[in-house]
Amino acid sequence: MKQIFMAALLLLMSIHSAMAFSAVDAFTSAPDVVLPLLPKNTRLDMIDYFNSGTSIASKNKLDGEARILSLTDKVLRFTMSEVSECQVVVLKYGKEEIIALIETLKTPIADSRISFYNSRWEPIEKSCFKEPELKTWLTKVGSKKIDDVRTALPFMLVQYEYNSEDNTLTLTSNAEQFLSREAYSGISQWLKPSLKYAWNGKKFTLVKE
C-alpha cells in the first residue's frame, strides 16, 4: 500500500513539474499588445532557431531583426529590434507565478522599464516594484546636495538587469553617458552607480548598503 501511495505521489509531482509555467510559456503566450513587433509565429520561430543553435534572426513587423539571446527555465532574454532588448522573467509570487517584463530601449543610451503580469498576461495592479526617486540614488553626502544634482541631472536613464541566481534586480545609472564630462564630474561623487533590489516573493525591495 505504501509503495502504491509513493508511486502516486511521484506521478503527481512529475505532472506538476511538467505543468510548471516557464519563460518559454510566458514568451509564446504573450498577447500582441504586449509584444507588438513580434507575432506569435515569429516568437515560435525565434525559439526554434535558438534551440537549433543557429544564428539566424527573425524579422519583426518593421523588418528589423529579433532573436533570443539566452534562455533558462524562468528567464528568456531577447531582442525585439536592433535598439530594443527585453527579459521575460517568471517569478514565484506566493503560491502562484507571475511575469516580469523588462524592456530596455537603446536611444542610443540604454533606458529600461519593468512591468508585471499574472500568468494570463493581465496587468498586476499591486505594486511589485517602486521606481526609485532621485534621493535614493544619492550618497549620504549627496543627499545634502539634492538641488544641485537635480539641476545637473533633470532625469535618470537607468538600465535594469535581473539575475536569476539570487533573484535580484540591479539598476545601473547611465548618467555618465548622457551628461557632459564636466557636468558629470561635478556630481559623480554624490551619485551611487547602481542600486540592487531583492525579490521577497511579493515585490522587489531595496537592498540596504
Side-chain angles (χ1 to χ4, degrees):
M1 188 69 178
K2 185 176 179 180
Q3 290 179 334
I4 295 175
F5 174 78
M6 290 300 297
L9 182 60
L10 289 172
L11 178 60
L12 287 173
M13 290 174 64
S14 64
I15 292 173
H16 179 268
S17 176
M19 295 175 63
F21 191 64
S22 69
V24 168
D25 295 329
F27 182 62
T28 56
S29 65
D32 289 348
V33 69
V34 175
L35 300 176
L37 294 181
L38 302 178
K40 184 172 183 177
N41 285 341
T42 300
R43 283 175 260 149
L44 292 172
D45 287 342
M46 291 167 65
I47 292 170
D48 287 342
Y49 290 149
F50 180 83
N51 287 336
S52 66
T54 180
S55 60
I56 297 174
S58 298
K59 292 293 184 180
N60 65 28
K61 278 191 173 183
L62 298 179
D63 240 13
E65 292 189 350
R67 55 165 53 88
I68 292 176
L69 302 176
S70 61
L71 173 61
T72 65
D73 185 42
K74 299 299 181 183
V75 184
L76 188 153
R77 182 193 294 274
F78 65 100
T79 60
M80 192 148 49
S81 70
E82 288 82 352
V83 296
S84 177
E85 186 174 310
C86 304
Q87 277 183 289
V88 170
V89 180
V90 176
L91 296 167
K92 190 68 177 176
Y93 185 80
K95 295 181 179 181
E96 303 175 2
E97 287 180 307
I98 64 170
I99 304 162
L101 176 64
I102 301 171
E103 301 169 272
T104 300
L105 188 63
K106 301 173 183 178
T107 60
I109 300 167
D111 189 40
S112 302
R113 67 173 185 173
I114 186 169
S115 342
F116 297 88
Y117 305 84
N118 62 24
S119 59
R120 298 179 298 280
W121 282 100
E122 297 166 341
I124 294 175
E125 295 181 1
K126 293 182 179 180
S127 178
C128 294
F129 172 74
K130 183 179 179 182
E131 187 175 324
E133 299 176 0
L134 177 59
K135 63 182 181 181
T136 309
W137 285 98
L138 300 180
T139 63
K140 187 175 181 179
V141 175
S143 63
K144 301 175 183 178
K145 303 287 186 177
I146 188 168
D147 291 336
D148 294 331
V149 176
R150 185 175 284 116
T151 298
L153 188 64
F155 57 89
M156 295 285 294
L157 293 179
V158 180
Q159 186 164 359
Y160 293 14
E161 180 76 22
Y162 175 75
N163 186 337
S164 59
E165 292 184 3
D166 57 2
N167 291 327
T168 58
L169 181 69
T170 298
L171 278 59
T172 302
S173 168
N174 286 329
E176 184 176 7
Q177 297 182 40
F178 72 87
L179 290 178
S180 68
R181 181 178 299 179
E182 182 181 1
Y184 182 73
S185 64
I187 65 170
S188 60
Q189 71 272 24
W190 300 330
L191 277 174
K192 298 173 184 176
S194 64
L195 300 173
K196 181 175 282 190
Y197 290 77
W199 180 252
N200 66 7
K202 288 293 182 179
K203 61 182 180 180
F204 282 107
T205 60
L206 182 65
V207 177
K208 301 293 184 180
E209 295 182 343

